[in-house]
Amino acid sequence: MMRTCCFTGHRELPGQDTDAYRALTNALEAAVSDALREGCRRFIVGGAKGFDLLAGEWILALKKVDPSVSLSVYIPYRGQPNAFSQHDAKRYAALLDGADDTLLIGEAYRPGCMRERNARMVQDADLCIAYVRKRPSGSEQTMRMAQKKGIPVFLL
């Protein structure tokens, strides 16, 4: 049976030329490898800037060498990338283009749509990879949802 892994993490990441960023990408690579060993072949991201884009790009690269891997993007509302920088908007578009499927939670932004998206990702997952550095945060809340569900959480 194919298992599913969701990602949750912050919108702000360390600078790409820092030891902290290299440590994050190394930890992400190790966690994805662990998820693959656990039987995960489907990966879900929420499409937010920062960690979601990074994780999604990681899975898109993995798909090129392992066609058994798939990527799903759960979108909280249609206009999610409207506030992204031009660079991140292009990354988001590439993520959607490379995804195997998408799930749109709502047409327009409304209070609670992000939480609803996060809850749906956890509901559909057997494992969670979390990059949580700030508390309280939506990423921490999503990690707690996964823990409450009783699925393994790989904390980066």
Side-chain angles (χ1 to χ4, degrees):
M1 178 172 98
M2 180 178 67
R3 299 182 76 205
T4 299
C5 175
C6 70
F7 293 94
T8 187
H10 302 300
R11 290 183 181 98
E12 298 82 33
L13 299 179
Q16 288 188 355
D17 293 329
T18 65
D19 288 341
Y21 186 83
R22 284 185 285 280
L24 171 59
T25 58
N26 289 339
L28 177 60
E29 179 180 18
V32 169
S33 293
D34 287 346
L36 290 168
R37 277 192 294 281
E38 293 288 325
C40 291
R41 290 296 178 269
R42 179 175 180 242
F43 293 84
I44 305 170
V45 296
K49 66 181 186 170
F51 186 73
D52 283 1
L53 288 178
L54 176 65
E57 290 167 341
W58 198 268
I59 298 305
L60 288 179
L62 180 60
K63 282 179 47 155
K64 291 179 181 177
V65 296
D66 184 349
S68 73
V69 170
S70 70
L71 176 67
S72 299
V73 181
Y74 285 21
I75 305 165
Y77 63 100
R78 194 170 299 285
Q80 179 176 5
N82 292 351
F84 288 9
S85 69
Q86 195 171 27
H87 174 73
D88 282 343
K90 286 180 183 177
R91 292 172 67 204
Y92 179 85
L95 191 69
L96 293 185
D97 285 345
D100 296 281
D101 61 86
T102 60
L103 174 67
L104 180 64
I105 301 299
E107 285 296 321
Y109 176 83
R110 67 186 186 299
C113 68
M114 304 289 195
R115 185 182 193 290
E116 185 179 342
R117 183 258 333 260
N118 296 344
R120 184 63 187 270
M121 290 192 319
V122 168
Q123 173 189 322
D124 293 348
D126 303 297
L127 190 141
C128 178
I129 296 174
Y131 173 66
V132 176
R133 294 291 183 271
K134 295 184 293 185
R135 295 164 194 215
S137 68
S139 298
E140 180 198 23
Q141 183 182 61
T142 305
M143 180 182 72
R144 298 275 179 241
M145 284 184 222
Q147 290 170 330
K148 186 175 181 181
K149 181 183 173 189
I151 65 174
V153 175
F154 295 159
L155 182 58
L156 308 184

